[in-house]
Amino acid sequence: MMEDKITISKSELDELIRQGIAKAVRQPTGFTAGTLFTGIAIDYDDIAIINKRHKMPKDEMGVSTAIYSRHQYKNENISRETGPSAHDMHDKLRFLALAVVGESKNSRVARADIPTVREAYSKFRDLFLTLYDMRAAGISKELHCSPNERADRHDSY
């Protein structure tokens, strides 16, 4: 059986290759721009668990889901302004993860880069939570020590 031969120009071949690559990149991945970080995004519970573990002060609503800021509270539990929320931290971590593949928008991430972005986000999130947990432990000691111990610590700064 003899095959038919087709002759195409180099520019036609280049166009066919370009179209094939574009189609492959657009193939469904199970993730869309809005779901790229589903299942791995930092959330309020992640922060609340750390805050609860270290008995961080609650805000005027009786919750403790924001990143603790030294400027956040005045006279125990009276809130002046809240620290960054889980949503704020998600945006910062998202921008870092996207930057790993040279992008700034979820919708611009190539299909081949999705695993890299998700892995980077997970590592940044885990590092952030570890560092915040360590900081919260130190601040908890400050907040729960006697007034004399607190004064001694601030004098040493």
Side-chain angles (χ1 to χ4, degrees):
M1 181 185 274
M2 191 168 208
E3 288 187 39
D4 292 334
K5 290 190 179 191
I6 299 173
T7 306
I8 62 172
S9 69
K10 183 178 183 326
S11 62
E12 290 171 327
L13 178 61
D14 288 343
E15 179 60 19
L16 284 172
I17 292 170
R18 187 194 63 72
Q19 288 175 356
I21 290 171
K23 182 179 178 185
V25 168
R26 288 191 307 265
Q27 290 296 314
T29 61
F31 294 103
T32 63
T35 63
L36 185 57
F37 299 104
T38 297
I40 61 171
I42 192 169
D43 64 23
Y44 293 100
D45 289 339
D46 294 325
I47 296 167
I49 288 167
I50 293 170
N51 287 345
K52 185 176 182 179
R53 179 183 312 132
H54 299 294
K55 298 178 177 75
M56 302 306 280
K58 295 178 181 172
D59 64 17
E60 71 275 2
M61 304 296 274
V63 296
S64 184
T65 58
I67 306 299
Y68 180 81
S69 166
R70 292 183 189 275
H71 304 288
Q72 186 171 351
Y73 301 97
K74 182 178 181 179
N75 299 330
E76 296 288 322
N77 294 335
I78 301 170
S79 177
R80 295 191 315 187
E81 63 180 65
T82 59
S85 68
H87 179 74
D88 297 332
M89 294 314 305
H90 168 69
D91 274 345
K92 290 167 178 40
L93 296 169
R94 180 176 69 85
F95 284 124
L96 282 172
L98 292 172
V100 169
V101 297
E103 297 298 348
S104 60
K105 295 181 179 180
N106 295 9
S107 61
R108 299 209 27 131
V109 175
R111 185 174 132 222
D113 289 332
I114 288 173
T116 301
V117 170
R118 288 180 57 84
E119 180 181 356
Y121 183 96
S122 294
K123 288 181 177 183
F124 289 137
R125 180 205 59 220
D126 293 348
L127 177 61
F128 171 78
L129 290 171
T130 298
L131 293 171
Y132 180 60
D133 191 43
M134 291 169 33
R135 178 179 176 266
I139 289 175
S140 178
K141 289 178 186 173
E142 282 180 31
L143 294 174
H144 299 100
C145 65
S146 72
N148 289 341
E149 289 174 313
R150 198 173 300 138
D152 290 343
R153 287 182 187 190
H154 289 292
D155 289 341
S156 64
Y157 295 130

